[in-house]
Amino acid sequence: MGLDDTLVYHADILIFGIILIFTVASLPRAYARFSRRSEWFQGHFLRSIGHLPSTKPRINLNLTPSYPHDPEKPSFMDFDHGNSSTTCAPLPYLHRINSAHVTDEKSLPRIPNRDPTLSSIWHPVASVLRSRVHNGYSVNQVLLMLAYISIIFYVSFYKSDPFKDPLRAGFVITSQIPFVYAFATKNNIIGMMVGVGYEKLNYLHRLVGKLMVIGANVHFIGYIYKWSLAGNIKKYLADDFIRWGIVALVCLDLLGFCSTEYIRSKSYNLFIASHVVSFTIFLFAACYHVPACVPYVVAACVFYILDLVVRAIKTRVTTAKLRPLPELGITRVEVPSINAGWRAGQHVRLRVLSSSMGWWGWSEVHPFTIANVAETSEGMVLMCKKTGRWTGSLFSMAQTASYGETGKEVGRDVRVMVEGPYGGVGHTMMSSYSGAMFVVGGSGVSFALSAVPDLIQAPTGLKFIDIVWSVQDPSSLTPLLPLFMNLVQNSSSVRVNVQVFYTRAISTTFDGMYLPQGITLLPGRPKLERLLDAAITNTVSAGGSSGVFVGVCGPVSLAHTMAHVVRDSDVRLCTAVGGIKLHEETFGW
């Protein structure tokens, strides 16, 4: 084995060793999760459970805004149109179960084991690692990328000059073929080992891909320079294995160009098509270029084929009901035939099998966070925000009138392909914390709508749950008000508080209308620093000391802002409550 082979071999072993270190670090959280038998069957495959109690969707599907109205009751919403201020009645603490009154300790619900995290043990270190430094990357992500780049650069340039020894770069990029595939797959083996979803590792896939593009061009330019000096460039370019190498290089360069943020945002279909075609050709071309690539290509094919098989197993073709929510600009997708198998915070990939989506719309797949708790008769619910051509077509389909059992109604039945579930909070057990705060924007409220009911129903040590929802128009509260009321009024052992903030001027009259206790409507953007301090204080005052879970779902800017707020939070408060666990679900990966 030569120096090139030895260096590449040890580099791969080192990278795999780093993955094992993160795997070992995640074992305590994995134990805390899987010590509950129910977690063995949740979050892996979608399924249907029969004999569930029949319930109507707890959501206002009327097209005309409606709020609770009773002139004899005191108003909990007072709008002053002069200064756009809102005042709300104070929220009292709700009755909680007192374990001192229970004679049989076995009759108490089993609270999940604590899943220790760095934020709960050493807040200053966790705050530094969560800091954003460049393009939204956190310090821990940057450190991991720098470590990866250092390994690749060391192997590439140790006792090697790329102009005199261009073969080294070829060995290095060949060794990264399995990793670029492993980081890209939806059913990510590395993600399963470390306890995170594929979307959380996508930045490493992009990094390895860029390193391969750079390495391939260094490899080619080095040989062109070497052959030009020797005067035999035409001789080598006539060889078949060299031409196959050029084919592989063109495929990588095409992948690098089509993977830019501009192409991804402007033409996602081109991005996907270029990946499928170019990477397939690249694998064959690499094998014909140098036979030494075959073992690495086989490893990549194993990862890819395994991912395709699992994705096929996770896919369901069924009928869904589309309903428009005009106040939110959202299409509510109801899939009654799927009612179990997911965890709070997970998402599915949706494909609508209808010609009404356009010429290529039926071929597009889009991820959406599941917006309700599992094992209910209404089935799985998705909330799809109208933001582009595909989601706009979906919203237009939902507005089509159809005839049902009750006569003419708004909505439409359509065949869909649902794949998942994916992502979520990983091994983190939200119910193991003493408090929870969900900061969501727009359609990101779906994360809270699936997590909070699950926390209320499950055995938990939670004392306080705060939902902070930012919307553009206050009328957005209309369709979800019944669901929020249900969360606030039916949480006997947990105090639930819902705060909705709107950023546009009021165009609707709210005279004589009120909101129930626990739900407030406020103008302007939320002061996240104060709200987080209040959530921590309420949790501590209620006797909680097992930490606060902070979940944020919405635009990337919202996630970045919340990360800064958590980083700058008061150390004494964080220590008193037992630490803060931040989980982010963003609209862009």
Side-chain angles (χ1 to χ4, degrees):
M1 182 180 290
L3 179 60
D4 293 344
D5 294 320
T6 302
L7 286 173
V8 167
Y9 173 76
H10 285 97
D12 286 352
I13 293 298
L14 179 58
I15 294 172
F16 187 69
I18 295 174
I19 295 173
L20 285 181
I21 291 174
F22 281 94
T23 302
V24 172
S26 69
L27 288 179
R29 293 185 294 119
Y31 172 76
R33 175 188 173 186
F34 291 108
S35 60
R36 299 183 66 191
R37 187 175 298 273
S38 61
E39 289 296 323
W40 297 1
F41 310 101
Q42 297 294 338
H44 308 298
F45 298 98
L46 299 174
R47 61 185 188 275
S48 178
I49 297 179
H51 308 294
L52 291 174
S54 178
T55 57
K56 296 181 179 180
R58 291 187 294 268
I59 189 168
N60 183 10
L61 297 174
N62 296 326
L63 297 181
T64 56
S66 62
Y67 287 88
H69 185 282
D70 190 343
E72 297 182 358
K73 290 186 177 181
S75 175
F76 289 91
M77 180 172 61
D78 180 19
F79 288 90
D80 185 350
H81 296 275
N83 56 13
S84 297
S85 63
T86 306
T87 58
C88 305
L91 173 65
Y93 278 98
L94 299 176
H95 174 69
R96 286 185 289 270
I97 299 174
N98 188 352
S99 58
H101 296 159
V102 181
T103 57
D104 184 8
E105 293 184 358
K106 294 183 179 181
S107 64
L108 288 171
R110 181 172 177 265
I111 298 176
N113 296 324
R114 182 80 171 97
D115 57 338
T117 58
L118 181 61
S119 62
S120 305
I121 300 172
W122 201 353
H123 178 72
V125 174
S127 298
V128 173
L129 293 178
R130 278 194 295 256
S131 302
R132 296 301 197 270
V133 291
H134 179 66
N135 287 340
Y137 291 114
S138 61
V139 171
N140 56 356
Q141 289 177 322
V142 171
L143 291 177
L144 192 58
M145 288 191 292
L146 287 176
Y148 206 110
I149 293 173
S150 300
I151 294 173
I152 299 301
F153 273 44
Y154 175 79
V155 175
S156 299
F157 299 108
Y158 177 74
K159 294 184 178 180
S160 175
D161 184 342
F163 290 101
K164 296 180 180 180
D165 181 25
L167 181 63
R168 177 74 64 82
F171 271 98
V172 173
I173 64 172
T174 300
S175 70
Q176 296 305 299
I177 293 176
F179 290 103
V180 75
Y181 270 84
F183 285 125
T185 55
K186 297 296 182 289
N187 299 281
N188 201 298
I189 295 178
I190 298 176
M192 295 176 188
M193 294 172 62
V194 300
V196 298
Y198 73 91
E199 73 280 5
K200 298 296 189 296
L201 298 176
N202 192 256
Y203 74 99
L204 291 176
H205 165 68
R206 295 195 296 267
L207 173 67
V208 178
K210 292 175 183 177
L211 292 175
M212 289 183 63
V213 172
I214 295 173
N217 283 275
V218 170
H219 176 64
F220 178 71
I221 293 173
Y223 270 112
I224 292 296
Y225 175 79
K226 185 177 180 180
W227 296 335
S228 298
L229 291 180
N232 51 11
I233 185 171
K234 291 184 178 180
K235 171 186 174 182
Y236 283 103
L237 290 180
D239 291 337
D240 289 339
F241 80 97
I242 298 297
R243 292 179 177 179
W244 279 114
I246 295 175
V247 171
L249 174 66
V250 171
C251 289
L252 283 180
D253 286 341
L254 181 62
L255 279 168
F257 174 75
C258 293
S259 297
T260 58
E261 185 176 353
Y262 178 83
I263 297 296
R264 291 203 312 268
S265 60
K266 297 297 182 180
S267 180
Y268 190 77
N269 286 337
L270 176 60
F271 164 73
I272 293 295
S274 65
H275 262 62
V276 174
V277 176
S278 297
F279 247 133
T280 302
I281 298 176
F282 166 77
L283 293 180
F284 284 100
C287 292
Y288 282 111
H289 175 55
V290 178
C293 295
V294 172
Y296 297 97
V297 170
V298 170
C301 290
V302 169
F303 286 129
Y304 185 60
I305 294 174
L306 180 62
D307 176 57
L308 292 179
V309 171
V310 178
R311 289 172 66 176
I313 297 174
K314 284 189 169 187
T315 300
R316 304 287 183 270
V317 178
T318 183
T319 301
K321 182 74 173 182
L322 306 181
R323 299 181 188 271
L325 300 179
E327 298 88 349
L328 289 168
I330 283 176
T331 304
R332 176 182 165 95
V333 181
E334 303 169 2
V335 190
S337 60
I338 301 175
N339 57 22
W342 68 86
R343 298 178 70 209
Q346 288 191 302
H347 69 270
V348 295
R349 292 164 55 81
L350 179 70
R351 186 197 306 267
V352 178
L353 306 176
S354 173
S355 58
S356 299
M357 297 298 294
W359 283 100
W360 300 105
W362 60 270
S363 65
E364 295 185 26
V365 182
H366 293 258
F368 297 101
T369 302
I370 302 173
N372 67 327
V373 69
E375 300 185 12
T376 60
S377 61
E378 63 180 338
M380 185 177 66
V381 175
L382 308 175
M383 299 179 68
C384 310
K385 179 72 174 179
K386 183 178 65 173
T387 57
R389 176 185 54 80
W390 191 90
T391 50
S393 299
L394 188 68
F395 187 79
S396 299
M397 287 180 61
Q399 290 181 308
T400 304
S402 62
Y403 290 88
E405 297 179 357
T406 58
K408 189 175 182 179
E409 58 183 20
V410 175
R412 178 174 176 178
D413 291 331
V414 65
R415 296 291 287 178
V416 297
M417 184 179 292
V418 182
E419 177 194 331
Y422 296 116
V425 295
H427 293 328
T428 300
M429 295 295 295
M430 291 184 285
S431 54
S432 66
Y433 292 85
S434 297
M437 178 180 179
F438 296 92
V439 181
V440 294
S443 60
V445 70
S446 56
F447 180 28
L449 296 181
S450 63
V452 175
D454 187 51
L455 292 174
I456 293 175
Q457 297 173 10
T460 176
L462 276 170
K463 310 294 182 182
F464 178 82
I465 299 177
D466 195 8
I467 302 175
V468 180
W469 186 27
S470 298
V471 294
Q472 294 182 341
D473 194 283
S475 61
S476 300
L477 178 60
T478 302
L480 299 185
L481 184 58
L483 199 151
F484 285 143
M485 291 173 60
N486 180 75
L487 294 179
V488 172
Q489 296 172 358
N490 293 346
S491 54
S492 59
S493 61
V494 184
R495 177 188 175 189
V496 178
N497 186 27
V498 179
Q499 301 182 66
V500 181
F501 293 82
Y502 62 93
T503 57
R504 286 184 180 177
I506 300 174
S507 58
T508 306
T509 302
F510 292 91
D511 296 336
M513 299 178 183
Y514 73 97
L515 291 176
Q517 291 186 351
I519 303 177
T520 59
L521 185 61
L522 303 168
R525 300 185 182 277
K527 304 295 183 182
L528 296 178
E529 299 88 350
R530 297 180 182 177
L531 293 172
L532 179 59
D533 288 345
I536 296 174
T537 303
N538 287 330
T539 302
V540 173
S541 64
S545 59
S546 296
V548 172
F549 175 87
V550 178
V552 55
C553 185
V556 176
S557 58
L558 178 63
H560 293 174
T561 301
M562 195 63 213
H564 283 293
V565 170
V566 173
R567 181 200 64 185
D568 298 333
S569 56
D570 189 274
V571 176
R572 292 174 298 176
L573 283 177
C574 294
T575 303
V577 80
I580 301 176
K581 169 64 177 179
L582 176 65
H583 176 78
E584 303 174 25
E585 295 284 344
T586 57
F587 292 160
W589 295 331

